Amino acid sequence: MGGGGSVKEVQSKAELDKILGDGSPAILHFWASWCEASKHMEQVFSHLSTDFPHAHFLRVEAEEQPEISEQHSVSAVPYFVFFKEGKAVDTLEGADPSSLANKVAKIAGSITPGDPAAPASLGMAAGPTILETVQELARENGSPQVSSSSLDDRLTKRLQQLVTSHPVILFMKGNPEEPKCGFSQKVVDILKKEKVKFGSFDILTDSEVREGLKKFSNWPTYPQLYCKGELLGGCDIVITMHESGELTEVFKDHGVGISDSLEAKPNKSMGGKGGISEPSGLSAALTTRLAGVINSSPVMLFMKGTADEPRCGFSRKVVDILKQENVGFETFDVLTDDEVRQGLKVYSNWSSYPQLYIKGELIGGSDIVLEMQKSGELRKVLAEKGIHSLEYRLKNLLNSSPVMLFMKGTPDAPRCGFSSKVVNALKEEGVDFGSFDILSDEEVRQGLKTFSNWPTYPQLYYKGELVGGCDIVLELHSGGELKSTLSE
């Protein structure tokens, strides 16, 4: 059906669901009346609707329709969501006319299924407008864009000074007295409710900071809230932390000036380290569950988000430290399980996240882990607990036998044809060899690929040095060189 070459203003979630229900390609533009970039992009959007009349072009005023905005995790405008057959398949944040045109062409460029999508540049209406908009945005931005590849030392130093200029600082659109977006307004209101003193920086006044901080923090949207130089998160995370009481606890843990009324708030964690006190109210089932999760990995990190996508700066800091130490670790995202999130605070008598455990014992949060790393104590604790870096472990495995085969399965029961061929070749040569089943250990399976710079299995080693994979071993075997190679 499509929108017939015009842009439709969506007034409710029900209306949006009804439009998307016909299965036609659809592009949804979240905008704000105060945002100049939104106005520029709306011109491009309108022209694209003329070029692709069979697609729905919809727009939503982000702050007026919070239900729709929150459903699509909108935290900055302009923001675009692309739908195909009623499902969101792509997004675009920011004023990027060329990318918008290309994404529209990709999703809506084929009127007949199977036809190639026409590039947006072929559109009769949109082309000149895209060029004009790019030029206009460049003029308005003034300062050059920050390189996507890296931040220069000067900008990095400036950003570091800014994020540490106050114990709590909010990078926002506008200022606390006059926020220029609803998301910034929400975080300001929360900080006022928390009764903490905070500084702020209006990112609309400085394009260099606005673009640079996204890369510096690895966080693409605003507002961004920092505590003692570490990113807590954006609007959604701050709201969640505030509602759970965790924001108050984070401020307390980091010595941020909180009013007496909040400091006097009783701590429900009454027991000792890892202990459960009588008033805690943890059930036996929850206690057992928490102990099970803590001990599910020798090194266990309870954090916000995942190792690949941390959702707070403190969690990201600990993940980075563990990666620097090159130790294997598992994580648990406390944002996905409120029972664990609240229960573990009581169980450990530790009121905030992240929490790092080694062999079932609480080490501490980000500040303690960082301090231990700097002093060398973290590496010492890991070694005392028998936890070594992956590199250390791989070297030990490689040298556990003069001839060592990393394979799928075992020599008696190989689980792939290539592994079976190498086993047979070694047996025919009468070579004694050790083996390791890489299917039994994902850390070794993935780590050895990087360590050896060899992407497949099996891998045969002699005195810790890689001989090769199946093809090389069979070639040596057929040429009568295998046994001599493994006995030099």
Side-chain angles (χ1 to χ4, degrees), residues 414-462:
R415 296 187 62 184
C416 84
F418 302 108
S419 294
S420 180
K421 288 179 181 179
V422 174
V423 167
N424 290 336
L426 291 171
K427 288 182 177 179
E428 288 172 13
E429 295 282 356
V431 175
D432 292 329
F433 64 98
S435 69
F436 186 92
D437 180 4
I438 52 96
L439 298 178
S440 67
D441 193 314
E442 187 66 16
E443 182 183 55
V444 171
R445 180 179 185 175
Q446 300 303 328
L448 190 60
K449 292 179 184 179
T450 304
F451 183 86
S452 64
N453 195 27
W454 195 271
T456 58
Y457 291 99
Q459 294 182 19
L460 182 66
Y461 290 78
Y462 177 60

Short mmCIF file of all heavy atoms in Angstrom, two decimals, residues 414-462:
data_model
loop_
_atom_site.label_atom_id
_atom_site.label_comp_id
_atom_site.label_asym_id
_atom_site.label_seq_id
_atom_site.Cartn_x
_atom_site.Cartn_y
_atom_site.Cartn_z
N PRO A 414 37.47 -40.02 17.38
CA PRO A 414 37.54 -38.72 16.71
C PRO A 414 36.14 -38.26 16.30
O PRO A 414 35.28 -39.08 15.95
CB PRO A 414 38.40 -39.00 15.47
CG PRO A 414 39.12 -40.28 15.78
CD PRO A 414 38.19 -41.06 16.65
N ARG A 415 35.91 -36.93 16.32
CA ARG A 415 34.58 -36.42 16.00
C ARG A 415 34.58 -35.56 14.74
O ARG A 415 33.69 -34.76 14.53
CB ARG A 415 34.03 -35.64 17.20
CG ARG A 415 33.84 -36.55 18.41
CD ARG A 415 33.13 -35.87 19.55
NE ARG A 415 31.79 -35.43 19.18
CZ ARG A 415 31.00 -34.73 20.00
NH1 ARG A 415 31.43 -34.42 21.21
NH2 ARG A 415 29.80 -34.37 19.63
N CYS A 416 35.62 -35.72 13.93
CA CYS A 416 35.59 -35.14 12.58
C CYS A 416 36.57 -35.92 11.71
O CYS A 416 37.55 -36.50 12.22
CB CYS A 416 35.90 -33.64 12.57
SG CYS A 416 37.63 -33.20 12.55
N GLY A 417 36.32 -35.97 10.42
CA GLY A 417 37.14 -36.76 9.51
C GLY A 417 38.58 -36.31 9.44
O GLY A 417 39.50 -37.12 9.32
N PHE A 418 38.81 -35.00 9.54
CA PHE A 418 40.17 -34.47 9.45
C PHE A 418 40.99 -34.90 10.67
O PHE A 418 42.15 -35.29 10.56
CB PHE A 418 40.15 -32.95 9.32
CG PHE A 418 39.37 -32.47 8.11
CD1 PHE A 418 38.12 -31.86 8.27
CD2 PHE A 418 39.87 -32.65 6.83
CE1 PHE A 418 37.41 -31.43 7.16
CE2 PHE A 418 39.17 -32.22 5.72
CZ PHE A 418 37.92 -31.62 5.88
N SER A 419 40.35 -34.82 11.85
CA SER A 419 41.05 -35.27 13.06
C SER A 419 41.36 -36.76 12.97
O SER A 419 42.46 -37.20 13.34
CB SER A 419 40.16 -34.99 14.30
OG SER A 419 40.00 -33.60 14.51
N SER A 420 40.40 -37.53 12.45
CA SER A 420 40.60 -38.98 12.31
C SER A 420 41.78 -39.29 11.39
O SER A 420 42.60 -40.17 11.68
CB SER A 420 39.33 -39.63 11.76
OG SER A 420 39.49 -41.02 11.62
N LYS A 421 41.93 -38.53 10.30
CA LYS A 421 43.02 -38.77 9.36
C LYS A 421 44.38 -38.51 10.00
O LYS A 421 45.34 -39.26 9.78
CB LYS A 421 42.84 -37.88 8.12
CG LYS A 421 41.71 -38.30 7.20
CD LYS A 421 41.59 -37.35 6.02
CE LYS A 421 40.44 -37.78 5.10
NZ LYS A 421 40.30 -36.85 3.95
N VAL A 422 44.48 -37.44 10.79
CA VAL A 422 45.76 -37.13 11.44
C VAL A 422 46.10 -38.18 12.49
O VAL A 422 47.25 -38.61 12.60
CB VAL A 422 45.72 -35.71 12.07
CG1 VAL A 422 47.00 -35.45 12.87
CG2 VAL A 422 45.56 -34.66 10.98
N VAL A 423 45.08 -38.61 13.26
CA VAL A 423 45.30 -39.67 14.25
C VAL A 423 45.84 -40.93 13.56
O VAL A 423 46.82 -41.55 14.02
CB VAL A 423 44.00 -39.98 15.01
CG1 VAL A 423 44.14 -41.30 15.80
CG2 VAL A 423 43.63 -38.84 15.94
N ASN A 424 45.23 -41.31 12.45
CA ASN A 424 45.65 -42.52 11.72
C ASN A 424 47.08 -42.37 11.20
O ASN A 424 47.88 -43.32 11.25
CB ASN A 424 44.70 -42.81 10.56
CG ASN A 424 43.34 -43.28 11.05
OD1 ASN A 424 43.22 -43.80 12.15
ND2 ASN A 424 42.31 -43.10 10.22
N ALA A 425 47.41 -41.17 10.71
CA ALA A 425 48.76 -40.95 10.18
C ALA A 425 49.80 -41.09 11.29
O ALA A 425 50.86 -41.71 11.10
CB ALA A 425 48.85 -39.56 9.54
N LEU A 426 49.50 -40.54 12.47
CA LEU A 426 50.44 -40.62 13.60
C LEU A 426 50.59 -42.07 14.07
O LEU A 426 51.70 -42.53 14.40
CB LEU A 426 49.96 -39.73 14.75
CG LEU A 426 50.03 -38.22 14.48
CD1 LEU A 426 49.33 -37.45 15.59
CD2 LEU A 426 51.48 -37.76 14.35
N LYS A 427 49.49 -42.80 14.10
CA LYS A 427 49.54 -44.21 14.51
C LYS A 427 50.34 -45.04 13.52
O LYS A 427 51.13 -45.92 13.91
CB LYS A 427 48.13 -44.76 14.68
CG LYS A 427 47.40 -44.22 15.92
CD LYS A 427 46.01 -44.83 16.06
CE LYS A 427 45.32 -44.36 17.34
NZ LYS A 427 43.96 -44.92 17.47
N GLU A 428 50.13 -44.78 12.23
CA GLU A 428 50.86 -45.53 11.19
C GLU A 428 52.37 -45.27 11.29
O GLU A 428 53.19 -46.14 10.97
CB GLU A 428 50.34 -45.15 9.81
CG GLU A 428 48.95 -45.70 9.51
CD GLU A 428 48.37 -45.17 8.21
OE1 GLU A 428 49.15 -44.56 7.42
OE2 GLU A 428 47.17 -45.34 7.98
N GLU A 429 52.73 -44.07 11.74
CA GLU A 429 54.15 -43.74 11.88
C GLU A 429 54.72 -44.25 13.20
O GLU A 429 55.93 -44.16 13.44
CB GLU A 429 54.34 -42.21 11.81
CG GLU A 429 53.99 -41.60 10.48
CD GLU A 429 55.07 -41.81 9.43
OE1 GLU A 429 56.13 -42.36 9.77
OE2 GLU A 429 54.85 -41.42 8.27
N GLY A 430 53.82 -44.75 14.06
CA GLY A 430 54.26 -45.23 15.36
C GLY A 430 54.71 -44.13 16.29
O GLY A 430 55.58 -44.32 17.15
N VAL A 431 54.12 -42.95 16.15
CA VAL A 431 54.49 -41.79 16.97
C VAL A 431 53.62 -41.74 18.22
O VAL A 431 52.38 -41.81 18.13
CB VAL A 431 54.32 -40.48 16.16
CG1 VAL A 431 54.58 -39.27 17.05
CG2 VAL A 431 55.24 -40.49 14.96
N ASP A 432 54.22 -41.61 19.38
CA ASP A 432 53.48 -41.37 20.62
C ASP A 432 53.07 -39.90 20.66
O ASP A 432 53.89 -39.02 20.38
CB ASP A 432 54.34 -41.69 21.85
CG ASP A 432 54.62 -43.19 21.97
OD1 ASP A 432 53.76 -43.98 21.56
OD2 ASP A 432 55.71 -43.54 22.45
N PHE A 433 51.84 -39.65 21.04
CA PHE A 433 51.38 -38.25 21.06
C PHE A 433 50.31 -38.05 22.14
O PHE A 433 49.58 -38.97 22.50
CB PHE A 433 50.83 -37.83 19.69
CG PHE A 433 49.60 -38.58 19.25
CD1 PHE A 433 48.33 -38.03 19.43
CD2 PHE A 433 49.70 -39.84 18.64
CE1 PHE A 433 47.20 -38.72 19.01
CE2 PHE A 433 48.58 -40.52 18.22
CZ PHE A 433 47.32 -39.97 18.41
N GLY A 434 50.26 -36.84 22.64
CA GLY A 434 49.18 -36.43 23.53
C GLY A 434 48.09 -35.76 22.71
O GLY A 434 48.32 -35.38 21.55
N SER A 435 46.93 -35.61 23.31
CA SER A 435 45.83 -34.95 22.57
C SER A 435 44.98 -34.12 23.51
O SER A 435 44.97 -34.33 24.73
CB SER A 435 44.96 -36.00 21.86
OG SER A 435 44.24 -36.76 22.81
N PHE A 436 44.27 -33.19 22.91
CA PHE A 436 43.33 -32.35 23.66
C PHE A 436 42.08 -32.18 22.82
O PHE A 436 42.16 -31.78 21.65
CB PHE A 436 43.94 -30.98 23.98
CG PHE A 436 43.08 -30.13 24.88
CD1 PHE A 436 43.24 -30.16 26.25
CD2 PHE A 436 42.08 -29.32 24.34
CE1 PHE A 436 42.44 -29.38 27.08
CE2 PHE A 436 41.27 -28.55 25.16
CZ PHE A 436 41.46 -28.58 26.53
N ASP A 437 40.93 -32.46 23.41
CA ASP A 437 39.64 -32.34 22.71
C ASP A 437 39.17 -30.89 22.81
O ASP A 437 38.69 -30.46 23.86
CB ASP A 437 38.62 -33.29 23.33
CG ASP A 437 37.26 -33.21 22.66
OD1 ASP A 437 37.12 -32.48 21.65
OD2 ASP A 437 36.33 -33.88 23.15
N ILE A 438 39.30 -30.14 21.72
CA ILE A 438 38.93 -28.72 21.76
C ILE A 438 37.42 -28.52 21.87
O ILE A 438 36.96 -27.42 22.19
CB ILE A 438 39.50 -27.97 20.53
CG1 ILE A 438 39.13 -28.66 19.20
CG2 ILE A 438 41.01 -27.87 20.63
CD1 ILE A 438 37.94 -28.11 18.53
N LEU A 439 36.63 -29.58 21.63
CA LEU A 439 35.19 -29.47 21.81
C LEU A 439 34.80 -29.40 23.28
O LEU A 439 33.68 -29.00 23.61
CB LEU A 439 34.47 -30.65 21.15
CG LEU A 439 34.63 -30.79 19.64
CD1 LEU A 439 33.91 -32.04 19.15
CD2 LEU A 439 34.11 -29.56 18.91
N SER A 440 35.74 -29.76 24.15
CA SER A 440 35.44 -29.80 25.58
C SER A 440 35.77 -28.49 26.27
O SER A 440 35.47 -28.31 27.45
CB SER A 440 36.24 -30.92 26.25
OG SER A 440 37.64 -30.63 26.24
N ASP A 441 36.40 -27.55 25.55
CA ASP A 441 36.84 -26.30 26.19
C ASP A 441 36.82 -25.17 25.18
O ASP A 441 37.72 -25.04 24.35
CB ASP A 441 38.25 -26.49 26.76
CG ASP A 441 38.65 -25.37 27.71
OD1 ASP A 441 38.42 -24.20 27.37
OD2 ASP A 441 39.19 -25.69 28.79
N GLU A 442 35.78 -24.35 25.25
CA GLU A 442 35.60 -23.28 24.27
C GLU A 442 36.70 -22.23 24.37
O GLU A 442 37.11 -21.64 23.36
CB GLU A 442 34.23 -22.62 24.46
CG GLU A 442 33.85 -21.61 23.38
CD GLU A 442 33.65 -22.24 22.01
OE1 GLU A 442 33.51 -23.48 21.93
OE2 GLU A 442 33.65 -21.49 21.02
N GLU A 443 37.18 -21.98 25.59
CA GLU A 443 38.24 -20.98 25.76
C GLU A 443 39.50 -21.41 25.01
O GLU A 443 40.11 -20.60 24.29
CB GLU A 443 38.55 -20.79 27.25
CG GLU A 443 39.61 -19.72 27.50
CD GLU A 443 39.97 -19.61 28.97
OE1 GLU A 443 40.35 -20.63 29.58
OE2 GLU A 443 39.87 -18.50 29.50
N VAL A 444 39.90 -22.67 25.16
CA VAL A 444 41.06 -23.18 24.44
C VAL A 444 40.80 -23.21 22.94
O VAL A 444 41.64 -22.82 22.13
CB VAL A 444 41.44 -24.59 24.94
CG1 VAL A 444 42.52 -25.21 24.05
CG2 VAL A 444 41.93 -24.52 26.38
N ARG A 445 39.61 -23.62 22.57
CA ARG A 445 39.26 -23.73 21.14
C ARG A 445 39.42 -22.40 20.42
O ARG A 445 40.01 -22.33 19.33
CB ARG A 445 37.82 -24.24 21.01
CG ARG A 445 37.35 -24.39 19.57
CD ARG A 445 35.93 -24.92 19.53
NE ARG A 445 35.49 -25.19 18.17
CZ ARG A 445 34.33 -25.75 17.87
NH1 ARG A 445 33.49 -26.13 18.83
NH2 ARG A 445 34.00 -25.96 16.61
N GLN A 446 38.90 -21.33 21.03
CA GLN A 446 39.00 -20.03 20.38
C GLN A 446 40.37 -19.39 20.59
O GLN A 446 40.93 -18.78 19.68
CB GLN A 446 37.90 -19.10 20.93
CG GLN A 446 36.48 -19.60 20.70
CD GLN A 446 36.18 -19.84 19.23
OE1 GLN A 446 36.71 -19.17 18.34
NE2 GLN A 446 35.31 -20.81 18.95
N GLY A 447 40.92 -19.58 21.79
CA GLY A 447 42.20 -18.94 22.10
C GLY A 447 43.35 -19.47 21.28
O GLY A 447 44.24 -18.70 20.86
N LEU A 448 43.35 -20.75 21.02
CA LEU A 448 44.47 -21.34 20.28
C LEU A 448 44.50 -20.86 18.83
O LEU A 448 45.57 -20.76 18.22
CB LEU A 448 44.41 -22.87 20.35
CG LEU A 448 45.64 -23.62 19.83
CD1 LEU A 448 46.88 -23.22 20.61
CD2 LEU A 448 45.42 -25.13 19.88
N LYS A 449 43.32 -20.58 18.28
CA LYS A 449 43.28 -20.05 16.91
C LYS A 449 44.08 -18.75 16.81
O LYS A 449 44.84 -18.53 15.85
CB LYS A 449 41.84 -19.80 16.47
CG LYS A 449 40.98 -21.04 16.30
CD LYS A 449 39.57 -20.61 15.90
CE LYS A 449 38.63 -21.79 15.78
NZ LYS A 449 37.26 -21.38 15.42
N THR A 450 43.87 -17.89 17.80
CA THR A 450 44.59 -16.61 17.82
C THR A 450 46.06 -16.81 18.14
O THR A 450 46.94 -16.23 17.50
CB THR A 450 43.95 -15.67 18.86
OG1 THR A 450 42.55 -15.52 18.57
CG2 THR A 450 44.61 -14.31 18.86
N PHE A 451 46.32 -17.66 19.13
CA PHE A 451 47.69 -17.90 19.58
C PHE A 451 48.56 -18.44 18.45
O PHE A 451 49.71 -18.04 18.27
CB PHE A 451 47.67 -18.88 20.75
CG PHE A 451 49.01 -19.16 21.36
CD1 PHE A 451 49.53 -18.34 22.35
CD2 PHE A 451 49.76 -20.26 20.95
CE1 PHE A 451 50.77 -18.59 22.92
CE2 PHE A 451 51.00 -20.53 21.51
CZ PHE A 451 51.51 -19.68 22.49
N SER A 452 48.00 -19.37 17.67
CA SER A 452 48.77 -20.03 16.61
C SER A 452 48.63 -19.34 15.26
O SER A 452 49.35 -19.66 14.32
CB SER A 452 48.31 -21.48 16.46
OG SER A 452 46.95 -21.53 16.01
N ASN A 453 47.65 -18.41 15.19
CA ASN A 453 47.32 -17.78 13.90
C ASN A 453 46.95 -18.84 12.87
O ASN A 453 47.32 -18.75 11.70
CB ASN A 453 48.48 -16.92 13.41
CG ASN A 453 48.06 -15.96 12.29
OD1 ASN A 453 46.89 -15.57 12.21
ND2 ASN A 453 48.98 -15.59 11.44
N TRP A 454 46.22 -19.85 13.34
CA TRP A 454 45.77 -20.96 12.47
C TRP A 454 44.28 -21.16 12.77
O TRP A 454 43.92 -21.51 13.90
CB TRP A 454 46.57 -22.23 12.78
CG TRP A 454 46.44 -23.30 11.74
CD1 TRP A 454 45.49 -24.28 11.68
CD2 TRP A 454 47.29 -23.50 10.61
NE1 TRP A 454 45.70 -25.08 10.59
CE2 TRP A 454 46.80 -24.63 9.90
CE3 TRP A 454 48.43 -22.85 10.12
CZ2 TRP A 454 47.41 -25.09 8.75
CZ3 TRP A 454 49.03 -23.32 8.97
CH2 TRP A 454 48.52 -24.43 8.29
N PRO A 455 43.41 -20.94 11.79
CA PRO A 455 41.98 -20.81 12.10
C PRO A 455 41.19 -22.11 12.23
O PRO A 455 40.01 -22.07 12.58
CB PRO A 455 41.46 -20.01 10.90
CG PRO A 455 42.36 -20.43 9.77
CD PRO A 455 43.70 -20.66 10.38
N THR A 456 41.80 -23.27 11.93
CA THR A 456 41.01 -24.50 11.89
C THR A 456 41.66 -25.60 12.74
O THR A 456 42.80 -25.47 13.20
CB THR A 456 40.87 -25.02 10.45
OG1 THR A 456 42.18 -25.25 9.90
CG2 THR A 456 40.12 -24.02 9.58
N TYR A 457 40.90 -26.68 12.90
CA TYR A 457 41.39 -27.87 13.61
C TYR A 457 41.24 -29.09 12.72
O TYR A 457 40.37 -29.08 11.83
CB TYR A 457 40.61 -28.07 14.92
CG TYR A 457 40.94 -26.99 15.93
CD1 TYR A 457 40.09 -25.89 16.11
CD2 TYR A 457 42.11 -27.06 16.68
CE1 TYR A 457 40.41 -24.89 17.01
CE2 TYR A 457 42.44 -26.05 17.58
CZ TYR A 457 41.58 -24.98 17.74
OH TYR A 457 41.91 -23.99 18.63
N PRO A 458 42.13 -30.11 12.93
CA PRO A 458 43.11 -30.27 13.99
C PRO A 458 44.35 -29.41 13.79
O PRO A 458 44.62 -28.90 12.69
CB PRO A 458 43.46 -31.75 13.90
CG PRO A 458 43.30 -32.06 12.44
CD PRO A 458 42.09 -31.27 12.01
N GLN A 459 45.14 -29.27 14.90
CA GLN A 459 46.43 -28.61 14.86
C GLN A 459 47.44 -29.53 15.55
O GLN A 459 47.21 -29.97 16.67
CB GLN A 459 46.40 -27.26 15.58
CG GLN A 459 45.51 -26.20 14.92
CD GLN A 459 45.55 -24.87 15.65
OE1 GLN A 459 46.48 -24.61 16.41
NE2 GLN A 459 44.55 -24.04 15.40
N LEU A 460 48.55 -29.81 14.88
CA LEU A 460 49.58 -30.68 15.43
C LEU A 460 50.82 -29.86 15.82
O LEU A 460 51.28 -29.03 15.03
CB LEU A 460 49.99 -31.75 14.41
CG LEU A 460 51.04 -32.77 14.89
CD1 LEU A 460 50.47 -33.64 16.01
CD2 LEU A 460 51.53 -33.64 13.73
N TYR A 461 51.33 -30.10 17.04
CA TYR A 461 52.49 -29.37 17.55
C TYR A 461 53.61 -30.34 17.91
O TYR A 461 53.36 -31.47 18.35
CB TYR A 461 52.11 -28.58 18.81
CG TYR A 461 51.20 -27.40 18.53
CD1 TYR A 461 49.83 -27.60 18.30
CD2 TYR A 461 51.71 -26.11 18.47
CE1 TYR A 461 49.00 -26.53 18.03
CE2 TYR A 461 50.88 -25.03 18.19
CZ TYR A 461 49.52 -25.24 17.98
OH TYR A 461 48.70 -24.18 17.70
N TYR A 462 54.84 -29.86 17.71
CA TYR A 462 56.02 -30.62 18.15
C TYR A 462 56.92 -29.68 18.97
O TYR A 462 57.34 -28.64 18.48
CB TYR A 462 56.79 -31.17 16.95
CG TYR A 462 58.06 -31.90 17.33
CD1 TYR A 462 58.03 -33.03 18.15
CD2 TYR A 462 59.30 -31.46 16.87
CE1 TYR A 462 59.19 -33.70 18.51
CE2 TYR A 462 60.47 -32.13 17.22
CZ TYR A 462 60.40 -33.24 18.04
OH TYR A 462 61.56 -33.91 18.41
#
